[in-house]
Amino acid sequence: MKLYDVVELREPRPSEQLSAGAVGSVVDVFDGSPPVYEVEFADTDGRTVAMVTLRADQVVQRDGHI
């Protein structure tokens, strides 16, 4: 994955009030083994709801836009 890719959560994140299937955008990539991604989740008005650091196995990359 790379910056600005659209991703979908595979599993709920109750501590961030995000359900499985929530859609977000990759806003930072941390190289490492394995790499991790900072993903921003926003509401329909574009306000940030959560910023979460996730592994690749915790999200599914989606085609298209949020």
Side-chain angles (χ1 to χ4, degrees), residues 42-47 49:
D43 64 15
T44 56
D45 293 323
R47 291 181 294 231
V49 174

Side-chain angles (χ1 to χ4, degrees), residues 30-61:
F30 301 103
D31 294 327
S33 183
V36 293
Y37 306 91
E38 187 77 13
V39 179
E40 178 181 23
F41 295 89
D43 64 15
T44 56
D45 293 323
R47 291 181 294 231
T48 300
V49 174
M51 295 280 284
V52 186
T53 303
L54 300 165
R55 300 180 315 268
D57 66 326
Q58 294 176 298
V59 294
V60 176
Q61 187 173 351

Side-chain angles (χ1 to χ4, degrees), residues 1-7 24-29 64 66:
M1 284 182 284
K2 60 187 184 315
L3 280 178
Y4 311 117
D5 280 351
V6 177
V7 297
S25 184
V26 175
V27 295
D28 207 348
V29 178
I66 296 177

